[in-house]
Amino acid sequence: MLKYTVEKAGAAVQALESDAPPLKPREVEVAVSHCGVCLTDVNLIDDLYGITRFPFVAGHESIGVVTAVGADVDPRFVAVGQRVGVGAIGGSCETCEWCLSGQQNLCPDKDDLVGRGDGGAFASHVRASDWRHVQQIPEALPSAAAAPLLCAGSTVFPPLLRNGVRPTDRVAVVGVGGLGHLAIKFLAAWGCHVTAITSTAAKAEDARRFGAHEVIAGKDLTASSFDFVLSTAPGDLPWGDYVKALRPRGTLCFVGVPHAPVSFGGIDLMMGERRVVGGVVGTPVEVQLMLEFAARHGIVAEIETYPVAKIDDAIERVRRGDARYRVVLEM
């Protein structure tokens, strides 16, 4: 097994060989053909969160072909030779209250690929610890452009299900980036009236191409405008204005991690019975629904591809924030 490893924070990647351990009963091994480079990968490489375990192998948006399966893997769902995806969560305990209620993404013992240390998908092969978290990739989705759906798509699509977003709703997407551009595509296909909110004027045309009906700057917010606001932006924004921009019983949902504490007036939340919620990557069922919806509507990520030999260039592209809109490694 070849792994693209970082030995210390911010260091260049090294290609290192390692022996593959014996396959566990529920494990699935996948030969990676494509893997997205998420900003979270870069932040972990740089140890921005102070939690990275080195040596570190990043990568949690992979698509490839199954090369081996454990003894307890159900062949009706996962079989050798099948094209599959392995996303941010590779498994869960299947015994806690969250797993038993179908909310495996909230399992306290879930298998986070981004937290594994040396087990990420910047590698020749990646393993999901539980076959039930391996995703079947619809034939209509090309591997390179679909790889970012395993994290970015899995992050922005489930909030539509969980928060009851309707085709008749007026929605806003804050930030037109790796997450935001996919959110715009999904919401437009959902049938909503979509407003993109961006501070980058150069992205306005792209936002409309992705399906936005309107593009505004944050300073142009109008009170009681939106039923649902999805924030994909990490910036320190005037969140009180975004709460005021919600219609009564509207929802502000954070899926991008703000770089500063979030604050807003409690009276604005109370008087309109508004809600502020968070969102994380989807459950296995939600991710599969997202992939099927994407295939039906022709939704894929806007990508820049790099051969794995130029992995350091790809990482630097994401680190600088220059990607339009996701970077994908060809392994």
Side-chain angles (χ1 to χ4, degrees):
M1 185 180 292
L2 193 64
K3 297 183 177 183
Y4 296 89
T5 305
V6 176
E7 296 290 338
K8 63 180 181 179
V13 174
Q14 302 178 59
L16 301 175
E17 288 188 350
S18 65
D19 293 331
L23 209 63
K24 295 178 182 177
R26 294 193 297 184
E27 279 190 328
V28 176
E29 183 179 87
V30 177
V32 181
S33 64
H34 297 84
C35 188
V37 182
C38 180
L39 181 59
T40 302
D41 292 317
V42 178
N43 289 343
L44 285 164
I45 287 170
D46 295 340
D47 200 17
L48 186 67
Y49 310 123
I51 61 172
T52 307
R53 294 180 295 163
F54 295 98
F56 178 65
V57 179
H60 57 280
E61 298 180 337
S62 63
I63 288 181
V65 175
V66 176
T67 53
V69 297
D72 292 345
V73 173
D74 191 328
R76 296 174 300 171
F77 297 96
V78 182
V80 171
Q82 183 180 4
R83 186 176 67 130
V84 299
V86 179
I89 300 175
S92 56
C93 77
E94 299 299 333
T95 58
C96 71
E97 61 178 305
W98 306 107
C99 287
L100 293 175
S101 60
Q103 301 173 85
Q104 297 93 333
N105 58 331
L106 300 179
C107 174
D109 295 319
K110 63 182 178 292
D111 174 20
D112 279 310
L113 263 71
V114 293
R116 279 184 178 178
D118 66 349
F122 288 0
S124 61
H125 296 75
V126 69
R127 287 186 178 180
S129 60
D130 191 319
W131 61 269
R132 286 165 286 198
H133 288 261
V134 174
Q135 302 296 330
Q136 300 178 34
I137 305 301
E139 186 176 348
L141 295 177
S143 293
L149 297 180
L150 273 301
C151 175
S154 172
T155 298
V156 300
F157 183 84
L160 313 189
L161 303 174
R162 298 171 192 158
N163 293 288
V165 176
R166 303 165 300 179
T168 54
D169 284 346
R170 301 181 70 87
V171 301
V173 176
V174 184
V176 183
L179 294 176
H181 88 284
L182 282 170
I184 292 169
K185 290 186 177 188
F186 280 124
L187 285 161
W190 203 260
C192 301
H193 183 281
V194 184
T195 298
I197 301 175
T198 179
S199 59
T200 306
K203 291 184 177 180
E205 184 177 343
D206 280 350
R208 292 188 177 92
R209 177 166 58 86
F210 301 147
H213 300 90
E214 298 180 59
V215 182
I216 63 172
K219 64 180 184 296
D220 297 327
L221 288 172
T222 303
S224 298
S225 298
F226 305 112
D227 300 288
F228 185 72
V229 175
L230 186 69
S231 175
T232 70
D236 184 13
L237 300 177
W239 297 113
D241 293 343
Y242 286 85
V243 171
K244 292 177 183 177
L246 294 171
R247 285 163 46 84
R249 295 189 174 173
T251 300
L252 168 60
C253 178
F254 287 92
V255 293
V257 181
H259 288 171
V262 173
S263 63
F264 47 83
I267 190 69
D268 296 317
L269 200 67
M270 294 167 58
M271 294 306 292
E273 294 189 356
R274 300 175 174 98
R275 301 190 309 150
V276 177
V277 301
V280 293
V281 294
T283 67
V285 169
E286 290 171 334
V287 176
Q288 196 63 52
L289 288 173
M290 177 272 299
L291 291 168
E292 292 168 3
F293 185 90
R296 189 158 61 247
H297 293 278
I299 296 173
V300 292
E302 305 289 315
I303 62 169
E304 302 172 359
T305 58
Y306 284 76
V308 72
K310 294 187 176 182
I311 186 171
D312 286 317
D313 293 340
I315 290 170
E316 184 59 28
R317 178 80 169 163
V318 175
R319 183 181 283 123
R320 293 197 308 263
D322 293 338
R324 293 295 183 270
Y325 281 83
R326 300 291 289 194
V327 167
V328 175
L329 294 171
E330 298 174 325
M331 306 303 288

